[in-house]
Amino acid sequence: YSLADAGQAAIGGWDIRSTPLGDALYESRVLDYDLVRQVRESMNDMAIMKGVYDASFWGERQHATAADIITETPSFGAKVEHLRNDIRTFIRENQVDGHTK
């Protein structure tokens, strides 16, 4: 198997914090500094979908910053369906045609 062309990748996801993606990458120190430096500005322009917040799952540090969350659906099942709809929308809007299973 060969690697997919990174230029054709669609990037998206959820976060419970409203911090722009590039800034969150910088703050987390998960990726190499030079890589983050190169993509930070363009990643800050990417829309991140609201996440599902469950106080029993997230660590104590996350409680205060959990501001970008799905609140309009009270039940767990409704939140799962909301995330599924986010995925369908992302696939459609980004014309994803592979690696979706």
Side-chain angles (χ1 to χ4, degrees):
Y1 296 101
S2 61
L3 292 175
D5 178 6
Q8 295 180 347
I11 300 172
W14 301 268
D15 199 347
I16 61 170
R17 300 182 320 139
S18 57
T19 306
L21 182 58
D23 294 344
L25 283 172
Y26 176 77
E27 292 169 8
S28 69
R29 309 284 197 262
V30 173
L31 297 175
D32 179 71
Y33 169 79
D34 193 51
L35 173 61
V36 175
R37 182 189 58 74
Q38 293 174 57
V39 300
R40 184 176 181 180
E41 186 175 324
S42 60
M43 293 193 90
N44 275 344
D45 293 335
M46 294 180 180
I48 301 299
M49 297 170 275
K50 291 182 177 184
V52 172
Y53 178 73
D54 179 349
S56 67
F57 178 77
W58 294 102
E60 288 292 323
R61 284 188 34 207
Q62 297 293 335
H63 291 217
T65 60
D68 204 28
I69 57 175
I70 298 167
T71 57
E72 56 276 357
T73 54
S75 73
F76 179 76
K79 289 177 182 175
V80 169
E81 189 54 36
H82 186 103
L83 296 177
R84 287 178 176 158
N85 285 332
D86 284 349
I87 293 168
R88 289 183 197 107
T89 300
F90 180 84
I91 289 170
R92 184 180 63 254
E93 289 178 354
N94 291 282
Q95 301 174 347
V96 175
D97 63 2
H99 305 289
T100 58
K101 295 181 181 178

